[in-house]
Amino acid sequence: MSTDLMKTLYKRLAEVGVDSNFLANKVLPDWWDDAIAQNPSGYAQAITLLSRNLGIELESLQRNSSQIIWKELGRAKFKRSEKVTDAQLLWASRLSIRAAQLACIATDSPTVQVPTSAKEIRELILKTGASAVTLNALLDYCWETGIPVLHISKFPKKTRKMDGLSVRIQGRPVIIISREMKYSAWLLFILAHELGHIARHHLDNFDFLVDEKVAKESPDEEERVATDFAVELLTGHPELRYTATYRIDAEALAQAAYDKYQRYQVDPGVVALNYAWSQKFMPIGMAALRLIEPNAHAVDTIREKMLSRLNWELLPEESGEFLRRVTDTDQD
């Protein structure tokens, strides 16, 4: 009986895009065994966990013959390409927002209103003694102003991913980064871009904003504002584009990036990435990043900061376990 109940449940969830492997590895706790559902209270516990963590109305899970009904996420703003639909980005958004809710519960520092000026934030970070606005420095700034930053990149099969997401949970902003890239400059730019959306009040009339792709150029006005904000925060100038009078190789680009870092307090990876984007020399930019950051582990930097900054005692054990699993920190 328990097996039949769970098989039916798994089949229903698979029909809406949630595969059983994802349920076992990310959603249900380590101790879960389908045999527990033999007891009605055990089955009730399973569907309660699935409802809570997947954002599904509990009543629609209780009735095996009824349609799966998703909980309302709130007012959404999607920044996406024409070939991608809002619906394709909703599933990743649901999981990210649930994680953001839990992170807010475990964040005991007050929320501080961030300045609208990227230059002002840059000066505040550099005054702490940071050598540049690095990924580590900007993460510290976000956490100290009460903005949790999470990295979530593992979703059910065939789920459309996004680069980043900004959300407000009862007034507290949270930033989710989903791009899987080991080099700090890439994730630093996405983080600065999402902070730009928050600082420039792009979430004031919305509950969350999804960036399918954070790009240097966009026809969307808010995207241009957030990108200029990010560039100014990281370099000191909103429209700065690094160029060269001749095409340089990766070694020369890496050396030039270190020079800019020492002279102008700009992260060398940011210099290399900015040059690659501006000049459309991405292979050279990536090769330079390998020289600048040979032991890159940007995602780990975000994860480690989350682990140390959250007050895990504020979360129920199962909620804490779920948050660790979806952020891939359960093995750390």
Side-chain angles (χ1 to χ4, degrees):
M1 179 67 175
S2 65
T3 302
D4 291 342
L5 280 173
M6 294 306 294
K7 279 185 177 179
T8 300
L9 184 58
Y10 291 149
K11 182 179 179 180
R12 294 176 67 208
L13 291 171
E15 289 172 352
V16 294
V18 191
D19 58 277
S20 58
N21 284 338
F22 182 80
L23 293 174
N25 294 327
K26 298 296 179 184
V27 182
L28 291 168
D30 285 335
W31 51 260
W32 176 259
D33 186 299
D34 286 352
I36 297 172
Q38 183 175 353
N39 187 306
S41 64
Y43 183 71
Q45 185 176 22
I47 61 175
T48 298
L49 286 170
L50 293 172
S51 167
R52 184 185 303 145
N53 292 334
L54 296 177
I56 297 173
E57 292 290 351
L58 179 60
E59 186 175 344
S60 71
L61 290 179
Q62 291 170 330
R63 299 177 179 176
N64 284 336
S65 60
S66 67
Q67 180 182 359
I68 294 285
I69 299 175
W70 301 99
K71 293 179 181 178
E72 179 60 46
L73 286 179
R75 298 160 298 174
K77 186 184 290 187
F78 292 92
K79 307 293 186 177
R80 55 175 176 76
S81 60
E82 292 183 0
K83 294 182 179 180
V84 177
T85 66
D86 294 354
Q88 286 177 297
L89 294 166
L90 273 174
W91 185 207
S93 301
R94 292 181 191 283
L95 193 68
S96 296
I97 290 171
R98 174 57 181 161
Q101 291 169 344
L102 296 176
C104 285
I105 293 171
T107 301
D108 48 18
S109 58
T111 304
V112 178
Q113 181 69 46
V114 297
T116 59
S117 166
K119 181 179 179 181
E120 185 177 344
I121 296 175
R122 175 178 173 81
E123 289 173 351
L124 288 170
I125 291 172
L126 294 179
K127 282 179 181 178
T128 66
S131 58
V133 180
T134 62
L135 178 61
N136 193 64
L138 189 54
L139 285 168
D140 280 337
Y141 174 81
C142 289
W143 281 102
E144 286 163 13
T145 53
I147 303 175
V149 181
L150 314 179
H151 188 278
I152 302 175
S153 59
K154 300 298 190 297
F155 301 107
K157 295 176 183 178
K158 301 179 181 180
T159 297
R160 169 71 67 167
K161 296 182 180 180
M162 64 269 182
D163 273 359
L165 178 149
S166 304
V167 59
R168 284 190 185 277
I169 307 293
Q170 296 182 340
R172 184 187 295 277
V174 182
I175 294 172
I176 308 290
I177 297 175
S178 290
R179 182 70 179 264
E180 291 187 271
M181 179 63 72
K182 65 180 181 179
Y183 297 110
S184 297
W186 280 90
L187 303 193
L188 173 57
F189 186 79
I190 293 172
L191 175 57
H193 182 96
E194 296 305 319
L195 184 61
H197 283 311
I198 293 167
R200 293 299 174 87
H201 302 287
H202 296 165
L203 278 173
D204 281 5
N205 297 315
F206 292 85
D207 296 299
F208 67 100
L209 182 153
V210 179
D211 275 313
E212 181 214 351
K213 292 293 181 186
V214 173
K216 288 287 284 184
E217 307 295 337
S218 172
D220 186 288
E221 176 62 22
E222 287 185 342
E223 286 300 284
R224 289 197 297 270
V225 168
T227 290
D228 287 348
F229 178 98
V231 173
E232 184 173 12
L233 173 58
L234 301 180
T235 71
H237 304 279
E239 298 179 358
L240 183 63
R241 303 292 184 268
Y242 290 109
T243 61
T245 55
Y246 57 92
R247 186 164 181 170
I248 59 179
D249 61 19
E251 188 173 345
L253 177 55
Q255 185 57 53
Y258 276 116
D259 179 62
K260 297 295 184 186
Y261 162 65
Q262 292 169 350
R263 295 176 61 186
Y264 302 111
Q265 294 182 283
V266 180
D267 182 280
V270 168
V271 176
L273 195 57
N274 182 294
Y275 173 85
W277 272 331
S278 301
Q279 303 302 299
K280 295 181 171 57
F281 294 155
M282 193 53 68
I284 297 227
M286 293 301 292
L289 287 177
R290 286 193 288 272
L291 295 173
I292 291 167
E293 199 175 8
N295 300 311
H297 51 80
V299 172
D300 287 345
T301 300
I302 298 173
R303 290 172 177 162
E304 289 163 7
K305 200 71 68 174
M306 181 203 75
L307 285 171
S308 65
R309 290 281 185 165
L310 291 180
N311 184 347
W312 294 92
E313 293 181 358
L314 297 176
L315 285 174
E317 184 177 350
E318 288 176 1
S319 296
E321 181 186 342
F322 172 74
L323 182 55
R324 286 188 177 94
R325 295 178 90 179
V326 297
T327 56
D328 269 359
T329 56
D330 54 319
Q331 301 301 320
D332 290 359

